[in-house]
Coordinates of all heavy atoms in Angstrom, one line a residue:
T44 N -185.0 100.7 -42.8 CA -184.3 100.7 -41.7 C -185.0 101.8 -40.5 O -185.3 102.9 -41.1 CB -182.8 101.2 -41.9 OG1 -182.2 100.2 -42.7 CG2 -182.1 101.3 -40.4
V45 N -185.3 101.4 -39.4 CA -185.9 102.2 -38.5 C -184.8 102.6 -37.4 O -184.5 101.6 -36.6 CB -187.1 101.6 -37.8 CG1 -187.8 102.6 -36.8 CG2 -188.2 101.2 -38.9
S46 N -184.3 103.8 -37.5 CA -183.2 104.2 -36.5 C -183.2 105.7 -36.5 O -183.3 106.5 -37.4 CB -181.9 103.7 -37.1 OG -180.8 104.1 -36.3
S47 N -183.0 106.1 -35.3 CA -182.9 107.5 -35.0 C -181.4 107.9 -34.9 O -181.1 109.1 -34.7 CB -183.6 108.0 -33.7 OG -184.9 107.6 -33.6
S48 N -180.5 107.0 -35.0 CA -179.1 107.2 -34.8 C -178.3 107.0 -36.0 O -177.1 107.3 -36.2 CB -178.5 106.4 -33.6 OG -178.5 105.0 -33.8
R49 N -178.9 106.2 -37.1 CA -178.1 105.8 -38.3 C -178.5 106.7 -39.4 O -179.5 107.3 -39.3 CB -178.5 104.2 -38.5 CG -178.2 103.4 -37.5 CD -176.8 102.9 -37.4 NE -176.4 102.2 -36.1 CZ -175.3 101.5 -36.0 NH1 -174.5 101.3 -37.0 NH2 -175.1 100.9 -34.9
D53 N -174.5 104.4 -42.9 CA -174.0 103.8 -41.8 C -175.2 102.7 -41.2 O -175.6 102.8 -40.0 CB -173.8 105.0 -40.7 CG -173.4 104.5 -39.2 OD1 -172.8 103.4 -39.4 OD2 -173.8 105.0 -38.3
D54 N -175.5 102.0 -42.1 CA -176.7 101.1 -41.8 C -176.2 99.6 -42.1 O -176.5 99.0 -43.1 CB -177.9 101.5 -42.7 CG -179.0 100.6 -42.5 OD1 -179.1 99.8 -41.4 OD2 -180.0 100.5 -43.5
A55 N -175.3 99.1 -41.1 CA -174.8 97.8 -41.3 C -176.0 96.7 -41.4 O -175.8 95.8 -42.1 CB -173.8 97.5 -40.2
G56 N -177.0 96.9 -40.5 CA -178.1 96.0 -40.4 C -178.8 95.9 -41.8 O -179.1 94.8 -42.3
G57 N -179.2 97.1 -42.2 CA -179.9 97.2 -43.5 C -178.9 96.6 -44.7 O -179.5 95.8 -45.6
D79 N -187.2 106.6 -35.3 CA -188.3 105.9 -34.5 C -189.5 106.8 -34.3 O -189.7 107.4 -33.3 CB -187.6 105.5 -33.2 CG -186.5 104.5 -33.3 OD1 -186.7 103.2 -33.5 OD2 -185.4 105.0 -33.3
G104 N -184.9 97.3 -36.9 CA -184.8 98.3 -35.9 C -186.0 98.6 -35.3 O -187.2 98.4 -35.8
G105 N -185.9 99.1 -33.9 CA -187.1 99.6 -33.3 C -188.0 98.6 -32.7 O -189.1 98.8 -32.3
T106 N -187.5 97.4 -32.6 CA -188.3 96.3 -32.0 C -188.1 96.0 -30.6 O -188.7 95.2 -30.0 CB -188.1 94.9 -32.8 OG1 -186.9 94.4 -32.4 CG2 -188.2 95.0 -34.3
G107 N -187.3 96.9 -30.1 CA -186.9 96.7 -28.6 C -187.9 97.1 -27.6 O -189.1 97.3 -27.9
T109 N -187.2 100.0 -25.4 CA -187.0 101.3 -25.0 C -188.2 102.2 -25.5 O -188.9 101.9 -26.4 CB -185.7 102.0 -25.6 OG1 -185.8 102.1 -27.0 CG2 -184.5 101.2 -25.2
D111 N -188.7 104.6 -27.2 CA -188.7 105.1 -28.7 C -189.0 103.9 -29.5 O -189.2 104.2 -30.8 CB -187.4 105.9 -29.0 CG -186.3 105.1 -29.0 OD1 -186.2 104.1 -28.3 OD2 -185.3 105.2 -29.9
D112 N -189.0 102.7 -29.1 CA -189.1 101.6 -30.0 C -190.6 101.4 -30.4 O -191.3 100.8 -29.6 CB -188.6 100.3 -29.5 CG -187.0 100.3 -29.5 OD1 -186.5 100.9 -30.3 OD2 -186.4 99.8 -28.4
G165 N -182.5 95.8 -35.1 CA -181.6 96.5 -36.0 C -180.1 96.2 -35.9 O -179.4 96.5 -36.8
S166 N -179.7 95.3 -34.9 CA -178.2 95.0 -34.8 C -178.0 94.2 -36.1 O -178.7 93.5 -36.6 CB -177.9 94.3 -33.5 OG -178.3 93.0 -33.7
E167 N -176.6 94.2 -36.3 CA -176.1 93.5 -37.6 C -176.4 92.0 -37.5 O -176.9 91.4 -38.5 CB -174.7 93.8 -37.7 CG -174.2 93.6 -39.2 CD -172.8 94.0 -39.4 OE1 -172.1 94.8 -38.6 OE2 -172.2 93.5 -40.3
Ligands
ATP19 N1 -179.0 99.8 -38.7 C1 -178.2 99.3 -37.8 N2 -177.1 98.7 -38.2 C2 -176.3 98.0 -37.3 N3 -176.5 98.0 -36.0 C3 -177.6 98.6 -35.6 C4 -178.5 99.3 -36.3 N4 -179.5 99.8 -35.7 C5 -179.3 99.6 -34.5 N5 -178.2 98.8 -34.2 C6 -177.4 98.3 -33.0 O1 -178.4 97.4 -32.5 C7 -178.5 97.4 -31.1 C8 -179.8 97.7 -30.5 O2 -179.9 99.1 -30.3 P1 -181.3 99.8 -30.2 O3 -182.3 98.8 -29.7 O4 -181.1 101.3 -29.6 O5 -181.5 100.0 -31.8 P2 -182.8 100.6 -32.5 O6 -183.8 101.0 -31.7 O7 -183.2 99.7 -33.6 O8 -182.0 101.8 -33.3 P3 -181.6 103.2 -32.9 O9 -181.2 103.3 -31.5 O10 -180.5 103.6 -33.8 O11 -182.8 104.1 -33.0 C9 -177.4 98.4 -30.7 O12 -176.1 97.9 -30.5 C10 -177.4 99.4 -32.0 O13 -176.1 100.0 -32.2

Side-chain angles (χ1 to χ4, degrees):
T44 299
V45 181
S46 174
S47 304
S48 62
R49 304 270 165 168
D53 174 31
D54 177 19
D79 296 278
T106 72
T109 62
D111 67 329
D112 288 325
S166 78
E167 202 177 336

